[in-house]
Amino acid sequence: MASDVDTAPLVGRAELVRTVRSALLGDAAHGQTAAVFLTGESGVGKTRLLGEIGDRLRDQGAVVLTGSCLDIGDASPLHPLLQALRRYDADLSASRKRSSSAVRGLLQMVADETAGPDGAGALLERVSRGLHLIAEGRPLVLILDDLQWVDRSTRQLLLYLLAGLGDLQLSVLAAVRAESLQGAHPLRRVLTELRRLRTVRVLDLAPLGRTETEELAAAVVGRPLSGDAADQVWQRSGGNPFVIEELARDLRDGRDGLSETLREIFLDRVDALPQHAHAVVHAVAAGVEPVQHWLLAEVLRLPEDELIDAARAAVAHRLLVGADDGYRLRHRLVAEVLAHELLPAERSGLHRRYAEALTAAPGELHQARLAHHWRLAGDPARALPAAVAAAQEAERLGGYAEAHRHWSAALQLAADSGPLAVDRVELLGNAAEAAHHCGEHARALALLEELATLQGGEPNCALHIRRARYLAAAGRSALAEEEYQRALKAADCSPRDRAAAAARLAELLLHLGRYADAGERAREALALAENVEGSATEVVLASSALGFSDAFLEDPDAGLAVMRDALDTAERAGQPEDVACAYLHLAELLTGPLNILEEGVVVARRGAERVAELGLGRTWGTRLLAIAINGLFRVGQWAEAEKVVAAALRHRPSGADAVELLLARCRLSVGYGDIEAAGRDLDAVATLLAGGGARHVIPLLTLRSGLAMWEGRHDVARMAVQRGLTEIRSDDVMILSALVWHGLRAEAEAHASRTVEVDPTAVRRLRDVADRMARKSAGAARPVRSVVEGFLALCAAEVSRLDGSDPELWATSVAEWDRRNHPYPAAYSRLRQAEALLARRSRLATAGKLLREAYEVAQGLGAVPLTSEIRELAGRARVSLEEREPTGATRGAPTQASDDELAALTAREREVLALVAEGLTNKEIGQRLFISERTIGVHVSHIFDKLQVRTRVQASAIQLRNHRG
C-alpha cells in the first residue's frame, strides 16, 4: 500500500536500511546466500523500503531484480521472477548486451518449459544457472513485494536458492503483509524452514514513533504542525506511514473528517474478520483502552475458548494489539470508522454493559471509565458521581489536566441530569482550580466569574485572592496586584487570608521587579503567618520573596540561605505549588543577580523535572526551563538552549508561562538573526502581556530594540527604549541597565549609518538614567553591581561612538564581560574595539586579533548578524579572519585547511557541516533544517567523502579552521 505522495521523505527507517543492506551484501559478498523478510501491517511502508534499499544496493554495484506477487495464487507460476526479469531487461543499456541476452534466454526457457521426467528440480537448476549468467560475477539481489501471495513455484525456488543448492551468490529481500499469514497459509511453513538458516532474517516493521510521525506529517503538509494537529495525527494514525500521509494531506488541503480512502480500507479489513472477531473489534473500539480480557468477556458474554479465538484473529489481522494489561486498537481511526457502523441503540447498549461490568467488578472502582460509559449509555445521573470521584483521584495523583477534564465533564453532566441535588458552586470552584493548575488560565478565570455570579453580592476576600492568583498566572499583573490590595482591605479577611494575600502579593511584586516592595510585603506576611496554624505555604512564598529581595538589595549570602531554607520547607510540607515557587526563585536568583550561571541552570532543570513529577510541568516547569534557556544563552551554549526550548514547547504553555518561554526563545532568535521568528514571538508576548509588569515588559522592549537595530530601523529601536523608560517602574537595575545600553547603542548605530538623525535629548536622558543606575547599584549587593557595571561599561563605550569611538572604553567592556563568562557581549565589544582602533589607524595587529577572536565566538554561537558585521569590517580593513600559521611551525603541527577544502561542498552541505561542528546529531540537524534524518545522513556521507575524513570530529575541525563555526 503506497501513498501517492512520492516526495514524502523516508522517516524513522535509517537504522533499518543500514541493517538490511549489511545483512544482504555483507554475507553475500563472501559467496553465501542471504535473505531478509520484512513483515508488517498494510501501509507500514514495506514497499517504500524495498524501493529505497534496492536503489542503495544498485549504487553499490549489485544486480537488483524487482518483482511483485499477484493475488491469484498458483495460476501464474514464477510470476514475480518473470516480472523482475522483464523490468531488468527493459532498463538495461545497450552496453550490457550479454546480460540482456541472458535475461531473454531465461525468459524463453521458462516460457518453453513443459512437464518432463526430470520434474521441478531441473527447472529450478536451469533458473539458477540463468540467474548466474545474468549476475556476471556481481552480487544479485532479488526483491519481491507482497510475498503473502507468492505462488508455489516461487516458494520452491526461494527454498532451493537460499539453501545454497544453486551455486549462486544471491540475496533475497521480500515484504510480507503480516495480517495475511493466517491459519495454514503455505508461506508460514516456508518462513519457518528458512528461519533455520543462519543468513536468513525475518524483521517486523514497526509503526513510526511519535517524533517520526510528526516529522513525516510536517513534510507532507509543508510546515511544522501545531501541537493539537500533531497530537491528532499521532493518535489517529498509530504511526502507520500511509495513514499519516493521508491525514497530513487532509490537513494540508483543509479537508475535515475522514477520507473515504481510509474509511474503505479499514472497513474492508474489519469486514474480513470472522463473526466473533468482528464483535471483539467493535467492543474494544467502544471501550477505554486497554480493555482487559475479563472485561471484554463480561461485555461480549462469549464462551472463553470462542473469545480467545476471536481475539487472536483480530490481533492476527493487525486490528488489535494484545498485551498483559489488555487489548488496544492498533489505529484509533478504527474507532472513528466503526462509530458510524452501529445503530445508536447498539452503541449505548455496549457502553451500558461496560458500565455494569465495571460496577459489578470486585475491588477498586474504575471511576473515569465508569463516568465515560454511563455518560455514553445515556445515564448522566450515574455518570456524575463517577466523574467527581475520577477528578478527585486525578488531583490526588497530581494529574491536574485530567482533573480539569473530569471536573468539566461533571459540570456538563450536572446540567444534563435534571433535578439532582448538585452543589454547582463546589463543582465550579474545583473546576476553576484544576484549570489554573494545568495552565488553562482563561478557562479558570471564566469559571471563577460564573462562581462569583452564583454566589451573588460582593466578592469575598478569598475570591479576591483566588482571582488575583489566576490573573497573575495569566500574565495580567497589574490587575492581579489590584485584587490582592482589595483582599487585604476586605472586611471579611481572616488572619489566614491576610497572610496569604500578603505572601502572594510579595511574590507578585518580586516578578514585577519591585524588590524593595516585595521585601516589605514578605516581612508583613511572615509576621502574620506566625499567628496562623498550618501556614507553610505562606511562609514558603514570603521567604522566597524576602530571600530574593535581600540577595538583590543587601546581602547575597544571607538571601541565598533564606531561599534554600524555603525550598527545604516546601519539600517537607509537600505542597506542589510551594515546591515549584521555591525552585523558581532560587533558579532566578542564581542565573540573574548572583550570576552563578552553571549552578542556576542545573537548579532550573532539576526543578523542572521535580515539578513535572508533581503535575505542574506545563506551568511552573515551563518557567523553570525558560530560566535554564536564559542561563545557557548567557554562557554561550545556544545549541543546548535550543534543545531546552523544544522540551519546554512540548508542554504547550499559556499565559505568563508562555511569556517566559517566548521571551527566552526570542533571545536566541535575535542572536541568530532569525528576524521573522523573533518578530512573531515578540508580537505574541505583547498580546499576552496586557497589564504585565517590568520583569516581562522591559525584556520585551529590550529585545524589540535589538531586533530593530539588526533590521536597520534605529528609530524603532529608540522608541522601544523610550517607552520602557517612561512607562515601567522597576527596582531591577540589571534589566534597566540592559535597556539603557540598547538605547545608547541605537543612537550610536543611527550616527554610524547616517540613516536617522541622532536625538540629543534621548542621548542626554539615557546618560542621566545610566548615572542613576550607577548610583542605585552602588547600594546593591556585589554580584548585582558587577553585572550592572558590565552594562554601564557598554553604555560609556557606546556614547564614545557618537564623537569618535574610544578603544580603551571598549577594552574595559571586553574585560568586564570576559570576567563574567558572557561570550556574546564580549565578542560584540571586541568588534567595536577593533573598529575604533582601525578608525584611528593604530595598533592594526591588535585590531586584527580582536576581529578574529570575535569572529570565532560569533561563528561558534551561530550569531549571524554579528558574524556578518565582523566580516564586513574585516573586508573593509583587509583583515584576514583566519589565523596565520607562525613562521617556523614544526612539521608535525596541524596545518591550516585551505579554502579549496570547503569549496567542493554545496551550499546545503556547508549548512549541514556547520551544524555538525556544533555537535548536533543527524536527527537534530534535520529538525533544524526541516529535512529528514536520512537526507542529512546522505549529506554527511558526501561531506566525509569530499573532505576525505572518516569522523564527525575531523570534519568539525576542518569547519572550525576555515570558518570558525
Side-chain angles (χ1 to χ4, degrees), residues 114-314:
T114 59
D118 51 358
L123 172 64
L124 297 179
E125 175 60 26
R126 287 195 290 273
V127 169
S128 175
R129 285 201 301 268
L131 292 174
H132 185 83
L133 291 174
I134 292 169
E136 295 184 296
R138 293 172 291 166
L140 188 144
V141 181
L142 180 59
I143 296 181
L144 303 176
D145 199 4
D146 286 324
L147 198 67
Q148 70 276 358
W149 295 325
V150 65
D151 60 275
R152 181 172 180 271
S153 298
T154 305
R155 290 198 303 271
Q156 290 178 332
L157 179 65
L158 289 177
L159 285 169
Y160 180 85
L161 295 175
L162 291 176
L165 301 177
D167 190 25
L168 177 69
Q169 186 177 326
L170 173 77
S171 297
V172 173
L173 173 62
V176 185
R177 189 177 297 178
E179 62 265 30
S180 298
L181 299 183
Q182 306 303 318
H185 194 293
L187 187 59
R188 296 181 68 179
R189 184 178 61 81
V190 173
L191 291 178
T192 301
E193 290 291 329
L194 291 175
R195 280 177 189 266
R196 299 174 182 174
L197 301 176
R198 185 181 62 82
T199 57
V200 173
R201 302 179 67 178
V202 179
L203 303 177
D204 188 57
L205 193 56
L208 299 180
R210 168 64 186 265
T211 303
E212 291 82 6
T213 295
E214 188 170 345
E215 181 184 347
L216 177 57
V220 174
V221 174
R223 63 180 185 279
L225 272 62
S226 67
D228 288 341
D231 285 345
Q232 188 179 51
V233 171
W234 165 243
Q235 290 166 6
R236 298 174 78 198
S237 70
N240 183 288
F242 174 79
V243 180
I244 294 166
E245 292 182 20
E246 287 286 321
L247 294 174
R249 276 202 302 281
D250 289 344
L251 276 175
R252 181 193 64 196
D253 300 338
R255 290 193 293 267
D256 292 328
L258 191 62
S259 70
E260 284 303 313
T261 301
L262 286 177
R263 186 180 301 280
E264 291 303 320
I265 286 170
F266 283 113
L267 278 177
D268 285 346
R269 290 176 62 182
V270 174
D271 289 343
L273 291 170
Q275 179 182 357
H276 290 327
H278 192 280
V280 164
V281 172
H282 271 285
V284 173
V288 177
E289 297 179 343
V291 178
Q292 296 94 330
H293 185 81
W294 69 264
L295 182 56
L296 193 61
E298 290 292 327
V299 171
L300 292 178
R301 299 164 188 167
L302 288 173
E304 180 68 7
D305 55 346
E306 292 184 21
L307 177 60
I308 290 175
D309 287 343
R312 181 179 287 115

Side-chain angles (χ1 to χ4, degrees), residues 81-98:
L81 175 63
L82 299 178
Q83 182 189 53
L85 291 170
R86 294 186 189 104
R87 287 175 175 174
Y88 184 67
D89 185 42
D91 292 339
L92 281 174
S93 63
S95 62
R96 305 301 296 248
K97 291 182 179 179
R98 182 176 176 184

Side-chain angles (χ1 to χ4, degrees), residues 46-99:
K46 301 182 296 297
T47 301
R48 176 70 187 278
L49 266 175
L50 295 186
E52 186 76 20
I53 296 170
D55 290 342
R56 302 283 187 90
L57 297 176
R58 285 190 191 92
D59 293 342
Q60 290 181 256
V63 174
V64 178
L65 304 178
T66 304
S68 300
C69 302
L70 293 179
D71 188 14
I72 55 176
D74 296 334
S76 182
L78 295 178
H79 169 79
L81 175 63
L82 299 178
Q83 182 189 53
L85 291 170
R86 294 186 189 104
R87 287 175 175 174
Y88 184 67
D89 185 42
D91 292 339
L92 281 174
S93 63
S95 62
R96 305 301 296 248
K97 291 182 179 179
R98 182 176 176 184
S99 293

